[in-house]
Amino acid sequence: MDQELDRLRAKLARLTGSARNRPLIELGQKLFEAYWRSGAGRPESRPHLAEAATVLDEAYGYFAPGDFLRGQVAALLGLVLGARYGLHGAGGPERERAIGLLDEALSFPRLPFGLVLNARLTLGQLLLHRVLAVMQPGELIARASRGDTMVDQRADADRAVECLRAVRGGDAEAVAGPMIEVAEAMRNLMDAVQHGPAAVDFSGLFQAITALQKVQQRYGAGIPRPGGLPPLPGLNEADDLARSSPLDRPVAVVHGDVPAAPHPERRPESQPESRTESRPESRRPAGPTVSAAELRAAFRERLGGAGPRVWPPLLALLDAEPPGVDLIDGLLGLATRLTAAPGSGAENHLLLATALYLRSRVDSGGWGDSDGGADRDRAAHSLLAARDALPGQRADVLSVAYRLAGLLDEVRTPGDLRSRLADGFTAVTGALRSAGAGALAYPQPTGLLLLVAATGRFEPAAPGAPRPERLLVVGDGQAGPASAASYVRSAAQVVDLAARRRPPLAEKPLFVGVPGGDRLRDAFYPRGVFLHRPTVDQVRAGLPASMLHLGCGVTGGGELELAGGRLPLSHLAAGGRSGGVAVLPPATAGLPALLAALLATCYAGVVAWRTPVPPAEEAVVLHVLHQHLAEGSIGAVRTVREWALDRRRKAPPGLPAELERAAGSAALTDAELIHHGL
C-alpha cells in the first residue's frame, strides 16, 4: 500500500492544473482506504486521514456544481471530514462542512450505492450531533421558557431520521437502529416545547429526557459530548460495518472524469460556514440541468471534428495514435454524464465504451489494474448496453460499434463481441429474408459492412468485391454503391416496412398534379384518380393511396403545395400504416422531410429522382416505371435504369407517338431513379 501511495504522490508531483484531478481522487481514495485498514480512530492512522482531506479538497475544487463526478468526490470528502469530526475531535466547522458535502452528494441521482449508504449513515449521525450540541436538559428548559420552538433542530432531526431509515436492514442495522431511536426521542423532546412558553408540557419534557437516557443505557457509551445528555452511538461502530459489509469501506468506485472546471474559491478551513449555508435545502446545487443534446455537442467539440456528427471523428480516433490524457478524460467525463442525462438514448453507451477503450490504451484507469483490462471490460459492457439501440442507428454509428468490437475482441477473451452485436439484429435478418434481400449494407470508409441475411452475421466487403443480390443500403441515397437496390434509414426501418400489409397497386391509385398523369392512369390504372389542379380536400379524400404519384410543388418543410392551400405532413398518415408505393417529383428542398413522412406512415416503398432529365425524357422514364411497378417497386427502378443505359433501347409498348423520339434520346443515359424502403 505504501508503495502505491508513493507512486501516486510522485505522479502528482509531475502534473499541474486539471491533469491532477484523476490522480488526486485516486490518491484520496487510497489514503482513506489505508486509514480504515490501519485502524479508524487511532492516533497513528490520523495522518492518512489528514492527507486524504487535503487531496480530495483540491480535487473537489476542479468540478463545477452539477458535474457528475463532483457528487462522488463530495461524498468521499464528506466521509473523510465526518471521520475527522467524529473520531478525532475536530470542531464544529469540520462537522458543518461534512454535512454540506454529504447533502450535496446525495442530490446526485446516479451516485454509487455504496457511497449512498455510507453518506446517508454518516449524514444522519452528524445531523444528530448538531442537534445535541444545543439540547442539554437545562438549555432545553431555558429555550422553552423564552419561546424558542427549535424549528431548525427539528428539521435536522427529521432529516436525520429520513437518512437513517433509508439504510436500515442488513449490516447497517446495528448502527442505524440505535440512532433512529435517539432521533425519535429527541423529536419528542422538541414536541414538548413546540407551542411556546405558555404551553410547555414540562411533564412530557422530562419523560422524553428520561426516554433518551434509557436509549443510551441500552447501547452504551459512544463519542462523549459536553453536558448531561448521553452521547450518540460512536462513529467508530461504523468500523465494524465497514469490515463486515459486502460494500467494504466507504470508498468511491470512480469510473471516469468530467471536464476540468475553473478551481472555485474555497473558504479557509478556519472559517466556519454559516448555519444557513449548511441547511440541507440551501446546500443542494441549484444549477441548471444540462440536456443530452448539449452534452453531445460538447463531446463533438472536444473531438474537434467537422460537421454535426460525433461518429466519424470518433472512428478516426480509434485507429489513430492514442490522444492525450486530458482529451480522453474530458471525453470520458462527458460520456459518463451523457449516459445519465434525462432523455439520453442507449446509443450513448457506445460513446462511453469508446472513451473507456481509449483510456485503456494510455492508462490503467483503475486501481489494482496495471494493463487497462478493467477499462476494457467496462468498455465491452457499455458496448453491449448499446446493442439493442444499434438497429435504429445510421451507418456511421455501426462503423464505430463494429470497429470497437473488433479492437476489444483482439485483446479480450472470449473475443466474441462482434458476434454478440450481430445477435441484436436477429429481427433484422428475418425481415431481410422475408423481403427477398440478400444483405443490408453499412457504408464504411474502406468499403461496406454487410449484415448477411443468410447467416445473420456481419461481414466486411472491400470496394469492388462481389455483392449479394438485392442489396439494401443504409443511407439517404445521395451517394452509394452502384449495386444498391434500395436505401433505408436504418435496420429498424427494414423490420417496420417488412411487416406492413401490401395493398395491390390498382386498389386506389392517385396522381396529384403529375404532367401526363391522366395518360399514365389510362394506360396502367383504370380505377385510378387523376387530379390536374388538386385541392387539399381532394387529396385528403384520396388518401391513403395504394400508389401515390406526386407532381405538385413541395415546400421546404415537405408539405404539399396545392390549389388553395397546403397539405401538412400529418395528413399523410390518414388511414394508418400500410405498404403502398409513392413516386416523388424531381428534386426540391423539401423532399427529405416528405420522404421520411411517407415511409413513416402509409408507404413502404418510395421512388425518387437522383438525376432529373428534361420533361420529354422524364415522361418516357415514368412510362417505363409504371409499366413495371406492379411487379415490385425495387425491381421496377432497376428495370428503368437498365433500359435507360441500353443505347440500343426500343420505345416501350404503349408509349404515345409524340414521345417515341424522346425514347431514343441520349439524355436518358443520365436519368437515374433511386428507391427508398422495400
Side-chain angles (χ1 to χ4, degrees), residues 499-583:
R500 295 191 190 179
R501 183 186 74 86
R502 299 300 180 99
L505 290 191
E507 184 177 281
K508 192 180 179 182
L510 177 64
F511 291 84
V512 179
V514 179
D518 52 343
R519 177 184 53 77
L520 293 171
R521 177 202 59 189
D522 295 343
F524 303 109
Y525 307 97
R527 298 173 55 187
V529 174
F530 168 68
L531 301 175
H532 176 58
R533 291 183 55 82
T535 66
V536 171
D537 290 340
Q538 287 175 330
V539 174
R540 188 184 292 118
L543 296 176
S546 57
M547 192 289 301
L548 175 65
H549 190 155
L550 298 174
C552 59
V554 179
T555 70
E559 296 178 328
L560 303 187
E561 291 186 310
L562 305 170
R566 296 176 176 178
L567 183 71
L569 291 177
S570 59
H571 289 202
L572 294 173
R577 299 160 70 82
S578 61
V581 175
V583 181

Side-chain angles (χ1 to χ4, degrees), residues 116-139:
V116 171
L117 184 148
N118 285 284
R120 285 174 174 163
L121 192 64
T122 302
L123 178 59
Q125 187 164 8
L126 292 172
L127 288 168
L128 294 187
H129 277 206
R130 186 160 74 181
V131 176
L132 278 173
V134 294
M135 285 190 63
Q136 309 309 317
E139 179 68 14

Side-chain angles (χ1 to χ4, degrees), residues 3 25 120 166 215 234 299 324 332 365 411 452 492 526 537 569 571:
Q3 291 179 346
I25 298 169
R120 285 174 174 163
V215 171
F299 193 98
L332 186 55
V411 292
V452 181
D537 290 340
L569 291 177
H571 289 202

